[in-house]
């Protein structure tokens, strides 16, 4: 079965760090485009970052310089390292595969990040 | 960045109704437009990609159309399981952006 499973969310103080993990099965992460998308409580969807199969990475302006997307090919796993966290980073973070036309065709269940004193 | 604007923000409809949601891009995005359905507490689900292609497993009552800046998602006969929030998303360029969502409620 093609799926992704996120983990690593939790409660962190402002200025702190957290690393999210997305374990994939049924497809190869390194051959795919992979993204992180987040959703603040009661709000809409916001794209956060993408890593292309060639390794290039891009970020939303709101997280640039603070978040880093990466992958471990041997573990078929995607990561999001989040530093200098702010209250406005509080959200459910989804890992998603970019499918045809760069649509997000496979989503995980999400992992919740709460940034609060 | 490309801005995506959906209308309406919410609507009330009855089972069996035909429902149309529109999405407008701030610049031309060709057919790089995708539609998602999201129910509370659950990850979004891809319905339509490339403006009009139905994702595998999605019922045929869902359809999409449009190109350039104006797009439409149509549900031909609303079913009880279709009450949800719908989002459009442009994949023309990074940063990918979503519409603000349209909540479809029971009349």
């Amino acid at each position: 079965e093609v799926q992704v499973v996120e983990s690593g969310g939790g409660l962190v103080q402002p200025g702190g760090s957290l690393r999210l993990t997305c374990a994939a099965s049924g497809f190869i992460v390194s051959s795919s485009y992979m993204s992180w998308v987040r959703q603040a409580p009661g709000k809409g969807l916001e794209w956060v970052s993408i890593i292309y199969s060639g390794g290039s990475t891009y970020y939303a302006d709101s997280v640039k310089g603070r978040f880093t997307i990466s992958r471990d090919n041997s573990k078929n796993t995607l990561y999001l390292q989040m530093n200098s966290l702010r209250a406005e980073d509080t959200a459910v973070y989804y890992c998603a595969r970019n499918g045809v036309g760069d649509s997000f065709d496979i989503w995980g269940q999400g992992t919740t990040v709460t940034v609060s004193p | 960045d490309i801005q995506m604007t959906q209308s309406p923000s919410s609507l009330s409809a009855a089972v069996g109704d035909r429902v149309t949601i529109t999405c407008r891009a701030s610049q031309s995005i060709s057919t790089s437009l995708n539609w998602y359905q999201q129910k509370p507490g659950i990850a979004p689900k891809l319905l339509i990609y490339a403006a009009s292609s139905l994702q595998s497993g999605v019922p045929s009552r869902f359809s999409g159309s449009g190109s350039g800046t104006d797009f439409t998602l149509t549900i031909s006969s609303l079913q009880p399981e279709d009450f949800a929030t719908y989002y459009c998303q442009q994949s023309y360029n990074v940063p990918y952006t979503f519409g603000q969502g349209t909540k479809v409620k029971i009349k």
Side-chain angles (χ1 to χ4, degrees), chain A residues 4 9 14 20 22 25 27 41 45 56 64 66-67 79-80 88:
Chain A
V4 294
L20 306 183
C22 169
S25 57
F27 70 98
L45 300 167
S56 298
K64 200 173 296 182
R66 301 188 298 123
F67 290 12
Y79 301 100
L80 186 68
E88 54 265 36

Side-chain angles (χ1 to χ4, degrees), chain A residues 39 45 47 100-102 104 107-108, chain B residues 36 38 43-44 91 94 96 98:
Chain A
Q39 186 169 36
L45 300 167
W47 172 82
V100 176
D102 270 343
F104 302 117
W107 295 73
Chain B
Y36 303 86
Q38 188 179 32
S91 53
V94 168
Y96 300 133
F98 291 86

Side-chain angles (χ1 to χ4, degrees), chain B residues 42-58:
Chain B
I42 299 176
K45 172 187 174 182
L46 177 65
L47 299 175
I48 302 285
Y49 62 92
S52 60
S53 295
L54 193 67
Q55 174 70 352
S56 176
V58 174

